[in-house]
Amino acid sequence: MDRVQLVLLGLPILLFCSDMVTLFAPQPPSAPKPNHNQSPASDGLQPGDPSAADASVQEAHVDGPGSGTTVDLKFCASCSYRGNAMTMKRMLETSFPGIHVNLENYPPPFPKRALSKAVPILQVGAMATLMAGDQIFPRFGMVPPPWYYSLRANRFGTMASIWLFGNFAQSFLQSSGAFEVYCNGQLVFSKLSEQRFPSEVELQELIGNKLPDSRFGENQDSQFVENLDSQSVENFNSQSGENLDFQFEENLEKVSS
């Protein structure tokens, strides 16, 4: 085999080995969650300093209404949904100060994951058979079929097709198409069920209604009642004014007659 054939055969083998190392490598340790109750050590405040009490009081108020609430955004990383997840994360952290938002990959089902790991093996096997089929088939007591010679006549085009179709199949099998939102372990929105992404206002309302001390829905109801009361008062005043004008005209007609 010449150098071009060695490169075309060695590249899939290298990528397959990297996939195997990634598959069986131990998971990295998760980052420690920030503790809002502890004051940072870089403040340099002594326990007897009176400003330390003021700093602790201010720090207690920094948590906000979302303190103690965890939102998990599980999305399909291979579907390029990370940008949407980051947008929703910033929106929730701005709307509910103190909330903790986690971004995680939502993996596909196990059969699709297993098939996606088998695609590189099939690619390497097909390319090796195409390059060295004259030695492989006789070892199994087989005569090379006619389609083997037709594919080998255009070996480089066949290898490129195997590489492209294999990568497409692997990308399809690794995608889940999910964008699931969990609030304190409870599912509040599922793209797999709704077949759409949540809007920012919709997600803000769903998370706001799940907060233990949130008055997100109550504030909307109170604003609606206030608007309704103001409209009722205006209508009542306008109707009262019309009635007074009508009675004044009737009394004026009676006096003139």
Side-chain angles (χ1 to χ4, degrees), residues 88-223:
M88 296 299 179
K89 174 181 172 67
R90 288 191 293 267
M91 183 273 296
L92 292 176
E93 291 176 347
T94 304
S95 302
F96 308 104
I99 197 170
H100 186 64
V101 182
N102 296 323
L103 300 182
E104 300 179 9
N105 179 36
Y106 192 93
F110 178 75
K112 294 182 67 175
R113 295 200 305 271
L115 289 176
S116 66
K117 297 302 180 182
V119 168
I121 301 177
L122 297 177
Q123 284 180 312
V124 173
M127 292 182 181
T129 303
L130 184 65
M131 298 301 300
D134 294 337
Q135 289 80 22
I136 294 177
F137 286 106
R139 290 181 179 274
F140 291 96
M142 299 172 58
V143 179
W147 56 264
Y148 167 73
Y149 294 104
S150 61
L151 292 178
R152 188 171 181 178
N154 188 15
R155 65 179 67 183
F156 295 106
T158 303
M159 293 178 67
S161 300
I162 293 173
W163 181 256
L164 291 177
F165 283 108
N167 290 343
F168 175 78
Q170 189 175 16
S171 177
F172 173 76
L173 293 173
Q174 289 178 350
S175 63
S176 61
F179 194 87
E180 315 299 295
V181 183
Y182 296 84
C183 182
N184 293 329
Q186 183 179 2
L187 181 65
V188 296
F189 185 86
S190 173
K191 181 180 178 295
L192 297 177
S193 300
E194 301 292 337
Q195 297 297 321
R196 62 179 178 85
F197 283 98
S199 62
E200 294 187 6
V201 177
E202 180 183 8
L203 187 59
Q204 183 181 8
E205 183 178 358
L206 291 174
I207 299 300
N209 292 332
K210 294 296 182 180
L211 296 181
D213 297 332
S214 175
R215 298 185 179 273
F216 184 79
E218 296 179 0
N219 292 334
Q220 288 185 339
D221 296 338
S222 62
Q223 290 178 359

Side-chain angles (χ1 to χ4, degrees), residues 1-13 127 130-131 155-157 159-160:
M1 294 188 295
D2 55 3
R3 294 181 180 179
V4 177
Q5 295 175 351
L6 289 175
V7 171
L8 293 177
L9 184 61
L11 183 60
I13 296 176
M127 292 182 181
L130 184 65
M131 298 301 300
R155 65 179 67 183
F156 295 106
M159 293 178 67

